Amino acid sequence: MTAAGAQALASSGEAANSRAPGTAVREGWLLLRVARVSTAGGVRSLRLVSPAGDALPSFTPGSHIVLEVGGRTNAYSLTGDFLEPTAYEISVLLIADGQGGSRWIHDELEVGRELSASPPRSAFAPVASARHHVLVAGGIGITPILSHVRAARLYRRSFEVIYAHRPDVQAGPLRELQTLCGSNQPTLVHSRAELTATLRSRLSGQPLGSVLFVCGPGSMMEATETIATELGWPSERIHIERFSTAALDPGNPFTVKLARSGRQLLIPSGVSLLEALEGAEVPVPYLCRRGVCGECRVAVTAGRPEHRDLFLTDEERAAGDSVMCCVSRAHDALLELDL
Amino acid sequence: MTSIAASDRLRRFPFPYPQDQYRYSTNVEPARRPVITEVGEWGRWTIDVDDEYEAELREREEILATDPSRCVVLPHMRAACWDTLLECLGEAARANPSTMSLIRDGHSHIWSNALLGEERRFVIGDEDTLGAEPLAYTGSQVQEDIVLLDQREGELWADAGLVTFAADWSLGFDVGMSFLEVHGPVPRVHVEGVIPRAHRFLLRLEPHDPYRRTNWTMSVGRRLDQSTETYPEWGHDRVAVLEDPGLLPDRLQLRVEVQHLIRLSGSAAILFLIRTSMVSLRELATVPAWRVRMAAVLRELPQDMVDYKGLTRFRDPAAAWLESVEAAATVPAE
């Protein structure tokens, strides 16, 4: 097997051609095959591999992937090996009254099924310079903490885990946590009162330079943040996994009118203005396609731009007379450009 | 050096001027896309192995033996250094499959490099198996200079690096500084928002999505190590080169850095690769479009940028020589 995780990314398009028709893999996404499923205590764990048997792209501990599950897209933390992994491992809690993604994974998904997945995204990375990591998890929120523990063990970082869970559930992830922690076993708590007492004690005696990572139910994360703040933890040292995706949302559709020719183009959700202009053979110079370099600035003659770039100054945004077409969109249904 | 070697250098040369006017900009673009030039191409890979591979690695080894401070790793950068090793060796293997390979074998990796006769089995996280600190080992296998930026609390910190071929700066001086501090002395870029924009871009850089940019300066002689530490050895050349105008076109070099910006996937640090290439004015002038473009850029360059780049004394003579050349009469020579 090659050591090149990047190859799995690069070859995902090729893999997409060789499988059954039905779902298309988005550009830059991965095609993964379900290699193993196991269910315990209301949690279904999946092992996802590259159909070609390649190593998958490495990821930063705490990363998640977005999976297309039963017609929806959901984010799941990666719990397994993070350097050139042979598989991505996720654990999914059945949410009976959820929007259907977890139900589909629990009820429908079988070994051999192929799924479309985003590349791993990192929004909950360990702090390399931290003197000590305090890792606090509640329930299924243990998932990103598992890969944090792996990294801490590999690079011999100082860490401790406090895990709040109901004794009857999350048996699989709990067992994995206990195995990973080795001689540095987690503190297990089984009620809100017990968690509060443990946090008050553990968060009041840490060395300067410690960082706190919290993942779990919203109310639990808020409570932990409140306790840490009361005990004097600076906000920069408190890391909360909110599952907000770093990527830009696809945005609403809008229409562009090209002032010089009078042509009109519909910009669908998920398609950038630049892509639509290119598709209509209206050339616009560009470099980064990330809203950074300033190359693809286009003059706006009517309509209000929705600025999503990093290039324009506040004054230029307020003026509303130009738009970085690689990332920005429109607040109004019609945007007129000097093209 | 033969004229054949010189033309190979030209074929790979990343000529850095898209226009007749040069200004600092956040000129980043996606990496691994070849750029076709008038005489060749560059940019297919983030790691580039060329004809000067062994000579440059030997030179780096000698510099490190004399001055170990050119390789600095703050303790928390250990994971990033292992990540760098995998990233750089993996890319070198993809770019040079006939001479290099990196194979995963269970928990270990096997790196083979026929150019150096190197064969090594190592386990990530275990320095003993590598026989070296991973950043130092990486620098013994690739020609690129390396800087690693740690991201924490909304800033980037230059907390590790292996830099032996610096163009008038010092890793030892910059290590531990923030990205914004490192770029403090560069003129114009702060007022024009170039550096803050680059900073925001880097903070959001994603793994598996490398970017690149070029930067340039001019230097006297084909000396790669023009670091602040050795200024007493090369600084005087900037004056001496003017003493014999006949030598100027051969001694004066356009020095270009191809810089790659890569978010390392395992550690989330940013890997900043700097690869330096040089061609003399005389070599460059054999390509008419480059000769005309470079003369125009030099003539137009504002004085503060000229001074910062260290071109103060020879900007005008260099431009004048380029303008005076008949391309057809110029033969590559060195």
Side-chain angles (χ1 to χ4, degrees):
Chain A
M1 188 187 328
T2 68
Q7 286 189 334
L9 259 187
S11 66
S12 62
E14 192 183 321
N17 295 332
S18 63
R19 89 212 137 83
T23 53
V25 176
R26 299 190 205 182
E27 193 189 339
W29 280 41
L30 302 156
L31 182 73
L32 300 175
R33 175 178 291 151
V34 180
R36 194 175 69 213
V37 298
S38 58
T39 310
V43 173
R44 181 162 247 207
S45 296
L46 306 182
R47 180 179 170 84
L48 305 166
V49 300
S50 149
D54 295 328
L56 293 168
S58 301
F59 61 89
T60 308
S63 291
H64 61 270
I65 53 173
V66 178
L67 272 187
E68 285 188 359
V69 285
R72 306 187 44 78
T73 55
N74 284 350
Y76 298 102
S77 294
L78 297 170
T79 64
D81 284 336
F82 60 93
L83 289 175
E84 298 172 357
T86 50
Y88 286 159
E89 319 257 3
I90 63 169
S91 289
V92 182
L93 176 69
L94 176 63
I95 301 173
D97 58 352
Q99 293 180 306
S102 72
R103 168 69 66 193
W104 186 83
I105 286 178
H106 275 255
D107 293 352
E108 308 274 329
L109 193 59
E110 293 172 347
V111 169
R113 183 80 179 241
E114 291 184 346
L115 300 174
S116 178
S118 75
R121 295 170 176 170
S122 170
F124 195 57
V127 176
S129 60
R131 196 157 153 200
H132 183 63
H133 281 79
V134 181
L135 307 171
V136 179
I140 196 63
I142 192 61
T143 51
I145 300 298
L146 290 171
S147 62
H148 273 245
V149 173
R150 278 178 205 281
R153 298 282 295 179
L154 176 62
Y155 295 120
R156 296 193 282 275
R157 292 177 180 145
S158 171
F159 76 98
E160 68 184 85
V161 180
I162 299 164
Y163 184 29
H165 71 116
R166 292 203 300 272
D168 55 329
V169 295
Q170 283 99 42
L174 174 60
R175 221 171 17 248
E176 190 173 2
L177 174 68
Q178 289 170 324
T179 306
L180 283 173
C181 284
S183 59
N184 183 9
Q185 280 296 300
T187 304
L188 302 178
V189 297
H190 303 299
S191 69
R192 175 55 63 85
E194 210 183 336
L195 176 64
T196 302
T198 303
L199 288 174
R200 288 207 176 279
S201 149
R202 294 306 307 161
L203 296 185
S204 61
Q206 299 295 347
L208 288 174
S210 298
V211 289
L212 172 62
F213 284 83
V214 193
C215 186
S219 60
M220 178 228 155
M221 292 196 289
E222 275 170 34
T224 306
E225 190 172 16
T226 303
I227 292 170
T229 304
E230 283 170 12
L231 291 172
W233 285 67
S235 59
E236 297 82 6
R237 301 278 162 86
I238 305 172
H239 296 249
I240 307 278
E241 171 62 301
R242 297 190 196 280
F243 272 113
S244 61
T245 47
L248 291 170
D249 69 68
N252 292 323
F254 62 101
T255 301
V256 152
K257 182 176 179 188
L258 307 181
R260 296 183 204 175
S261 63
R263 279 176 76 187
Q264 295 207 358
L265 305 173
L266 177 68
I267 319 296
S269 176
V271 174
S272 77
L273 178 49
L274 176 58
E275 287 164 348
L277 290 168
E278 287 172 336
E281 293 183 2
V282 180
V284 177
Y286 67 87
L287 270 176
C288 76
R289 301 183 83 100
R290 286 281 188 85
V292 173
C293 73
E295 193 74 14
C296 70
R297 186 173 185 165
V298 173
V300 172
T301 43
R304 289 176 305 147
E306 179 192 2
H307 297 293
R308 312 205 297 180
D309 62 280
L310 301 168
F311 180 83
L312 297 174
T313 63
D314 290 344
E315 293 76 29
E316 289 168 330
R317 283 161 186 266
D321 57 2
S322 67
V323 65
M324 310 311 305
C325 64
C326 63
V327 291
S328 295
R329 305 185 67 86
H331 281 303
D332 296 325
L334 185 75
L335 194 68
E336 188 182 276
L337 302 178
D338 183 19
L339 283 175
Chain B
M1 196 131 330
T2 67
S3 61
I4 291 168
S7 71
D8 180 68
R9 210 145 57 209
L10 279 182
R11 278 200 298 274
R12 291 171 166 272
F13 190 66
F15 187 73
Y17 312 123
Q19 296 158 14
D20 284 346
Q21 185 193 66
Y22 180 84
R23 290 293 183 276
Y24 291 117
S25 64
T26 315
N27 56 334
V28 291
E29 60 181 7
R32 293 196 185 117
R33 297 184 186 179
V35 176
I36 309 302
T37 69
E38 273 75 3
V39 288
E41 71 159 63
W42 63 275
R44 200 172 280 275
W45 304 97
T46 61
I47 296 285
D48 184 34
V49 172
D50 69 9
D51 292 356
E52 307 187 48
Y53 179 75
E54 286 160 63
E56 288 187 10
L57 291 184
R58 235 181 353 258
E59 191 173 342
R60 172 172 289 152
E61 199 178 341
E62 286 160 14
I63 293 165
L64 286 168
T66 310
D67 181 3
S69 77
R70 307 295 185 89
C71 181
V72 186
V73 179
L74 299 188
H76 63 274
M77 297 305 279
R78 190 165 158 252
C81 291
W82 278 106
D83 240 1
T84 299
L85 179 84
L86 289 182
E87 178 74 29
C88 293
L89 299 191
E91 180 80 348
R94 284 189 291 275
N96 304 278
S98 61
T99 51
M100 299 175 175
S101 69
L102 181 66
I103 309 287
R104 172 92 173 264
D105 180 25
H107 287 296
S108 51
H109 284 79
I110 304 163
W111 165 244
S112 307
N113 178 355
L115 297 180
L116 299 178
E118 174 79 358
E119 174 102 13
R120 170 116 10 214
R121 176 185 283 267
F122 61 88
V123 176
I124 294 168
D126 184 348
E127 278 80 1
D128 290 344
T129 58
L130 197 60
E133 188 284 318
L135 186 60
Y137 187 83
T138 307
S140 74
Q141 305 294 310
V142 303
Q143 290 157 272
E144 282 71 16
D145 275 335
I146 301 167
V147 179
L148 285 167
L149 301 163
D150 185 35
Q151 183 163 336
R152 58 179 186 273
E153 297 177 5
E155 286 219 60
L156 294 160
W157 306 88
D159 284 347
L162 194 169
V163 178
T164 51
F165 305 145
D168 211 353
W169 63 284
S170 161
L171 174 70
F173 183 77
D174 284 355
V175 79
M177 285 190 190
S178 74
F179 179 84
L180 298 176
E181 287 167 342
V182 167
H183 293 87
V186 188
R188 292 172 178 254
V189 292
H190 302 278
V191 183
E192 292 172 8
V194 171
I195 291 295
R197 206 154 61 235
H199 189 231
R200 290 196 297 270
F201 173 75
L202 289 173
L203 289 171
R204 292 184 177 204
L205 195 63
E206 291 282 334
H208 312 293
D209 195 12
Y211 275 69
R212 72 177 172 219
R213 65 182 295 265
T214 57
N215 195 9
W216 68 277
T217 185
M218 293 178 74
S219 67
V220 180
R222 294 189 53 76
R223 181 191 171 103
L224 281 167
D225 176 17
Q226 303 215 354
S227 58
T228 316
E229 286 87 343
T230 52
Y231 183 82
E233 294 171 27
W234 55 266
H236 174 71
D237 292 345
R238 287 180 173 179
V239 183
V241 70
L242 297 171
E243 287 164 5
D244 184 348
L247 292 178
L248 184 110
D250 295 306
R251 298 207 63 207
L252 212 51
Q253 313 281 321
L254 175 57
R255 179 178 176 124
V256 179
E257 294 177 353
V258 176
Q259 305 174 345
H260 279 98
L261 303 156
I262 301 168
R263 172 77 70 185
L264 292 171
S265 45
S267 62
I270 287 179
L271 168 61
F272 181 54
L273 296 170
I274 308 163
R275 179 58 181 280
T276 301
S277 316
M278 289 181 272
V279 297
S280 70
L281 288 194
R282 193 181 298 281
E283 289 172 285
L284 183 131
T286 60
V287 183
W290 290 1
R291 173 172 54 82
V292 172
R293 173 62 53 83
M294 184 167 179
V297 166
L298 286 178
R299 284 289 186 213
E300 196 279 336
L301 201 64
Q303 192 60 41
D304 55 348
M305 291 173 70
V306 169
D307 293 340
Y308 177 73
K309 286 182 178 289
L311 318 181
T312 314
R313 291 190 182 85
F314 46 70
R315 174 251 286 263
D316 288 334
W321 184 83
L322 288 167
E323 287 157 356
S324 73
V325 166
E326 284 297 326
T330 310
V331 179
E334 185 172 304

